[in-house]
Amino acid sequence: MASKPSIPKGTRDFSPAEVAKRQYIIQKIRTHFEKFGYQPIETPTFENSETLMGKYGEEGDRLIFKILNSGDYLAKANELHLAEKDSNKLAASISEKALRYDLTVPFARYVVQHQNDIEFPFKRYQIQPVWRADRPQKGRFREFYQCDADVVGSTSLWQEVELVQLYDAVFTDLKLEGVTIKINNRKILSGIAEVIGASDKLIDFTVALDKLDKIGEDGVKKEMIEKGISESAIEKVQLLFHFTGSISEKIQKLSALLSSSSEGMKGVEELQFICDNVADLGLSSAILDLDVTLARGLNYYTGAIFEVAPPSGVSMGSIGGGGRYDDLTGIFGLKNMSGVGISFGLDRIYLVVEELNLFPETVTSTTKAIFLNFGENETKYAMKAITELRKSGIKVEMYPDNVKIGKQFQYADKRGIPFAVIVGGDEMQHNEYALKNLVSGEQKKLSFEALKSELQ
């Protein structure tokens, strides 16, 4: 007996209605990307393993889907690693390619490879799927879309200001009001580690601090101590565990804390510039907040760090994020090429918009009208009208089979088609069309021009 078909965990099928909703979000994002001057590119689904490996930290590398070499992939396998069953070392000899983990590293590779054809600063956007061998849970999938906007070749902090505006524009257009755009700076995190004498523990310190909202103050302190950070060092940054107030108040507190760190003070100055200018220009519906616990992407972010939280009351992780990376292209041999970018988490945004019932009814609108099938001659007459209506951009279709009319009406009802067009002998004789509203039940006979006007 054939086994029941299934799909891998962490992946999904999408129905026509779901695809329509996803395309609605993508179109909103794409429109604003282009409005802000970003140009589209696309990169391959898979990259050479060496392009991806070592760019996301130890944890990120473990989540990369590796692709077995074509043909007899064991033929070139390292016999020692094979005999020892050392899968990590064996992978290098049996897998030369991997599915992309994100769009940022492939973009860095693209910039380096095509640097002679690119006009800098280069503003690009990319909307494509990525893959991560993560544990599936609500809002976290193994296959998902990222929608990225990056600019490389400019160190101007106005780029960060514009990216905050871009987030605000997209979420406002989606009616997703009240999102919080959290901002921090890698230099501030480095400065904090420096003033407490734990620069060598920067990653451990910030990763633990990033968990403050999940495990609480005591949990964070416990983790820091376990990582070798002294209690006296933790005491110096006690204020970070209760870091409240307006952005300007938080910046004042950071200035006092980091006064002895030139790196930290540079981060404070950068944050001050971004936050002051965003405040002067104003946001439509988003909230900008300084969050010193924000520590994403420490392996490549060097300046501003962004993360977007959904409106309060919505139980969901971040729906966007990004930051400044001064040396990401350096890993591919192109030095001194600063970049900054943000990403929209399409799948999570979809879940939030759905939960808040913010999709317009028209998003899932299907065919506007279906022509019922009364026979060969009637169908030929109807198809001429259908052809002309489609030329005018109206979504119409013909029921393909000459079956009982009740079944055809039932089909239209299940598809959610609002109108049916009835063409029988009488309508053909008078060169008319009977249009029935399948919601109200109202029916009227119309000329072709009147029919077109009604359906537009």
Side-chain angles (χ1 to χ4, degrees):
M1 187 173 73
S3 61
K4 186 178 179 181
S6 63
I7 58 175
K9 287 182 179 179
T11 64
R12 297 151 295 161
D13 289 323
F14 297 104
S15 68
E18 289 169 328
V19 170
K21 289 177 179 178
R22 287 166 64 83
Q23 288 177 342
Y24 165 78
I25 295 173
I26 289 172
Q27 189 53 47
K28 293 286 188 187
I29 295 171
R30 179 181 286 116
T31 296
H32 288 286
F33 279 170
E34 294 181 355
K35 200 178 286 186
F36 277 68
Y38 292 85
Q39 303 174 81
I41 70 163
E42 291 188 357
T43 58
T45 294
F46 53 91
E47 297 271 352
N48 292 325
S49 296
E50 62 191 29
T51 298
L52 303 177
M53 298 301 291
K55 312 302 189 300
Y56 306 102
E58 190 177 329
E59 184 179 350
D61 282 355
R62 283 200 302 268
L63 300 181
I64 292 174
F65 276 110
K66 299 173 181 65
I67 301 172
L68 290 174
N69 294 337
S70 301
D72 185 2
Y73 57 87
L74 286 178
K76 296 181 181 179
N78 183 294
E79 293 185 10
L80 177 61
H81 298 155
L82 186 60
E84 293 177 345
K85 296 184 179 179
D86 189 332
S87 57
N88 289 328
K89 292 180 179 177
L90 182 64
S93 60
I94 65 172
S95 173
E96 297 171 355
K97 301 175 185 67
L99 294 178
R100 58 173 173 243
Y101 175 91
D102 71 356
L103 299 179
T104 305
V105 170
F107 171 54
R109 189 267 309 152
Y110 176 95
V111 170
V112 175
Q113 196 170 339
H114 300 277
Q115 57 186 289
N116 296 327
D117 308 313
I118 291 174
E119 197 65 43
F120 293 102
F122 180 49
K123 299 175 75 172
R124 86 81 166 88
Y125 77 83
Q126 200 169 346
I127 302 175
Q128 287 186 280
V130 299
W131 292 266
R132 296 183 185 178
D134 216 342
R135 185 171 64 87
Q137 52 186 288
K138 183 184 178 184
R140 180 173 290 176
F141 307 100
R142 288 175 171 170
E143 177 185 61
F144 57 97
Y145 266 76
Q146 283 189 339
C147 310
D148 285 12
D150 289 78
V151 53
V152 291
S154 170
T155 58
S156 170
L157 292 175
W158 283 108
Q159 305 292 353
E160 278 86 338
V161 173
E162 277 208 334
L163 289 172
V164 173
Q165 291 182 310
L166 177 55
Y167 265 140
D168 179 53
V170 170
F171 289 121
T172 300
D173 202 4
L174 287 169
K175 306 294 189 291
L176 198 56
E177 301 181 353
V179 305
T180 299
I181 304 169
K182 300 176 184 179
I183 186 172
N184 197 12
N185 194 295
R186 166 63 187 266
K187 296 182 180 72
I188 283 174
L189 294 170
S190 297
I192 292 170
E194 182 185 337
V195 298
I196 66 173
S199 292
D200 60 328
K201 300 283 186 181
L202 172 63
I203 301 295
D204 293 331
F205 173 81
T206 51
V207 167
L209 187 64
D210 196 30
K211 297 176 182 176
L212 184 62
D213 60 340
K214 298 183 184 74
I215 61 177
E217 180 180 344
D218 291 340
V220 170
K221 288 180 176 178
K222 180 173 179 287
E223 185 170 323
M224 286 181 176
I225 290 169
E226 288 173 353
K227 294 291 185 180
I229 299 169
S230 68
E231 290 188 30
S232 60
I234 296 171
E235 189 62 35
K236 291 178 183 176
V237 289
Q238 180 63 35
L239 70 88
L240 297 180
F241 297 109
H242 308 280
F243 202 65
T244 56
S246 66
I247 288 178
S248 59
E249 288 170 342
K250 290 177 179 178
I251 287 177
Q252 284 178 356
K253 292 177 184 177
L254 285 174
S255 295
L257 175 67
L258 300 172
S259 59
S260 63
S261 168
S262 59
E263 176 82 349
M265 288 306 296
K266 192 168 189 307
V268 171
E269 291 169 13
E270 291 180 5
L271 272 183
Q272 181 101 53
F273 179 91
I274 297 164
C275 295
D276 284 354
N277 281 291
V278 168
D280 288 344
L281 294 166
L283 296 175
S284 297
S285 68
I287 302 159
L288 183 65
D289 185 38
L290 170 53
D291 183 354
V292 288
T293 70
L294 184 58
R296 62 184 291 139
L298 288 177
N299 289 290
Y300 47 86
Y301 291 143
T302 55
I305 307 169
F306 298 107
E307 189 167 280
V308 184
S312 59
V314 177
S315 179
M316 180 65 68
S318 64
I319 55 176
R324 165 75 63 173
Y325 42 88
D326 281 344
D327 52 10
L328 188 64
T329 54
I331 57 181
F332 298 117
L334 183 60
K335 303 293 184 183
N336 303 316
M337 184 62 71
S338 185
V340 60
I342 58 173
S343 180
F344 290 81
L346 171 65
D347 298 280
R348 287 187 176 183
I349 293 170
Y350 178 104
L351 292 173
V352 174
V353 174
E354 181 93 316
E355 182 177 332
L356 297 176
N357 198 28
L358 295 175
F359 282 112
E361 288 185 18
T362 52
V363 167
T364 55
S365 64
T366 178
T367 298
K368 193 71 179 283
I370 186 166
F371 282 69
L372 302 185
N373 192 322
F374 283 83
E376 199 68 29
N377 292 332
E378 292 86 345
T379 298
K380 192 173 290 187
Y381 177 87
M383 283 302 296
K384 291 180 180 178
I386 288 171
T387 302
E388 291 303 313
L389 290 171
R390 286 172 176 165
K391 287 179 182 178
S392 298
I394 302 170
K395 299 176 184 178
V396 288
E397 63 182 271
M398 183 81 207
Y399 192 88
D401 303 308
N402 183 14
V403 297
K404 290 181 179 179
I405 295 302
K407 184 175 181 179
Q408 297 185 46
F409 275 121
Q410 191 178 48
Y411 174 82
D413 182 57
K414 287 181 177 178
R415 286 273 310 279
I417 299 173
F419 293 99
V421 181
I422 300 165
V423 179
D426 188 54
E427 284 79 18
M428 290 174 65
Q429 186 177 346
H430 294 92
N431 203 24
E432 291 178 330
Y433 303 84
L435 180 67
K436 183 169 184 174
N437 186 316
L438 298 179
V439 178
S440 67
E442 179 189 2
Q443 182 171 318
K444 50 190 173 184
K445 291 193 175 184
L446 304 166
S447 66
F448 174 76
E449 288 302 322
L451 174 69
K452 184 167 79 169
S453 178
E454 286 277 342
L455 293 178
Q456 274 177 329

